[in-house]
Structures are given as C-alpha cells and as structure tokens.
Amino acid sequence: MKRFILFGAPGSGKGTMGERIQRDFGFARIATGDILRAEIERGSAEGRQARAHMDSGGLVPDELVIEMVRRRLQAGDLDGGYVMDGYPRTLRQAEALSQVPCDGEKAVFIEVDEEQAVGRLLSRLTCRECGAIYNRANKPPLRPGICDVCGGAVEPRRDDNEQSVRERFRVYAERTLPVIEYYHRLGVLARIDGNGPAGPVYERLRGLIA
Ligand SMILES: [Zn+2]
C-alpha cells in the first residue's frame, strides 16, 4: 500500500486536497481528528484518556496518538493506499510512522502565504453537525446558514478570528518544521505552491500521485 502524507498550515487547503485524493484515487483518508473522535465516541480506554487531556485544556500526548493511529493502520481497508492528514505532527510520531511498512511513501508540503491562509480561514464556515466546510467567498451553502449535506447549522468556527488564526499559523510553521525536515532527509518530500484557487493546486498535487 502507498502512503501519502499531507502537510500544510491551517488555511492551506490540506483538508480539501485530502478529500479529493480520497475521491479520485480511492485512497483511504486517515485524519487524526477523526480517529480521536471515533475513539472518544466508542469510549475506548485511549479515547477516555484523550478526552481527559482535552477537557483539561491540554494536548493529547504523543504516545496516545501514536497508539491510536497504529491501530487504525491495522484496519483492512488500506490496501489501495492511504492519505494522512494531520499526522505526523511531531518527530516522534514521524519516527513511529516510519516503523509501519508501506510500498512507497511521499510527503507533500502545501505551502501557502500567511495572508492568503488567514483570508481563507476568516471566510470559512463549518457545519456544527457534520463538520462540512463552506466558504463565504467561493463555496457558500445552497441555503444560507444551512448545511447542504445534513441540514445542520452552518456558521464560522468560534476560533476563526484573526488573532487566533495568525497564532495557529505561526505555531504550525514552528512545530511542523522539524517533521518536514525529517521527510526531506528521507528523500520523500515534495513542496507545492498552495496559493490560488483549489483547482490548480489540486492539479499540481495530482501530478505527484499519478
Ligand atoms: Zn452538515
């Protein structure tokens, strides 16, 4: 199975790109946020521990995330390849992932200017029920305020304000740099320009998979 790892700051369009790869290439999509949510809903031991860390305002520890992802990677649906979104976030996670064999690995860093990322995030709307993402500027829901997928309420995320967005952008760049370096040293890193509309960005990304 092939492994495709997407990196990109908040507002880089990484989530959208991951979804398109999933759709067009039949890859499974592995997003840490989804795994966490599933474990918490199932009430597994790891889920309960993760929940406790989140409730106290802390980060979920590496060991816990690594274990949850390791288990996810044992599921039987990955033979056609998989795309990872939001993982690995730390060097330790990257090293743990390298222990999981695959037929070929590529890491792609979607680079986007801060101003563009901030603009995108500030016009972003999300569905409170299903998490579907919309954009005031170029992808509004068909009926204002109502999710096309599930009929839930569509609104800006509470933390999508300018100060919080700039802070998240800065923190991402700082924390992720060592992980990107790690893949660069492995010789599997590509960088693509993530500025501009999603269509052409996706074409650049596609070229790296096909
Ligand atoms: Zn929805």
Side-chain angles (χ1 to χ4, degrees):
M1 76 200 75
K2 284 200 161 58
R3 176 158 66 223
F4 206 74
I5 305 165
L6 287 181
F7 291 104
S12 65
K14 175 169 59 78
T16 307
M17 296 301 142
E19 282 165 13
R20 290 194 187 187
I21 292 173
Q22 179 182 33
R23 185 191 64 199
D24 293 353
F25 293 89
F27 281 18
R29 179 160 162 260
I30 298 189
T32 324
D34 295 345
I35 296 177
L36 263 173
R37 227 167 291 134
E39 295 277 349
I40 289 171
E41 269 168 32
R42 267 195 7 213
S44 69
E46 285 79 10
R48 288 200 306 270
Q49 288 177 50
R51 182 67 194 258
H53 287 286
M54 289 156 78
D55 285 349
S56 64
L59 289 171
V60 180
D62 256 359
E63 284 311 316
L64 210 50
V65 180
I66 287 170
E67 174 57 20
M68 287 190 275
V69 172
R70 192 187 62 77
R71 283 215 307 246
R72 172 66 186 87
L73 292 177
Q74 287 170 342
D77 61 335
L78 306 179
D79 290 350
Y82 55 97
V83 54
M84 305 203 83
D85 173 352
Y87 189 90
R89 282 227 166 120
T90 65
L91 262 186
R92 265 173 80 200
Q93 291 177 3
E95 284 159 7
L97 183 61
S98 289
Q99 304 300 311
V100 180
C102 69
D103 297 339
E105 178 174 60
K106 196 161 271 180
V108 180
F109 183 28
I110 305 171
E111 293 182 293
V112 65
D113 295 339
E114 177 169 345
E115 291 316 309
Q116 191 154 147
V118 169
R120 283 179 188 170
L121 289 174
L122 291 180
S123 65
R124 187 167 75 171
L125 302 166
T126 50
C127 172
R128 271 168 55 175
E129 302 301 323
C130 74
I133 295 175
Y134 301 91
N135 189 295
R136 268 192 210 105
N138 52 34
K139 194 195 166 200
L142 296 173
R143 289 170 296 166
I146 300 171
C147 178
D148 299 348
V149 182
C150 77
V154 169
E155 48 191 40
R157 256 172 53 169
R158 206 179 311 143
D159 58 345
D160 280 350
N161 61 71
E162 181 156 356
Q163 191 190 350
S164 150
V165 158
R166 287 193 188 276
E167 176 66 8
R168 271 149 58 205
F169 190 89
R170 197 188 56 73
V171 167
Y172 181 87
E174 206 175 277
R175 288 224 184 109
T176 313
L177 206 64
V179 185
I180 292 181
E181 268 301 305
Y182 174 84
Y183 286 101
H184 175 67
R185 284 196 306 272
L186 288 182
V188 298
L189 180 75
R191 294 168 189 268
I192 63 163
D193 179 3
N195 293 301
V201 174
Y202 181 60
E203 286 311 311
R204 295 194 274 277
L205 187 59
R206 240 182 114 86
L208 296 170
I209 306 176

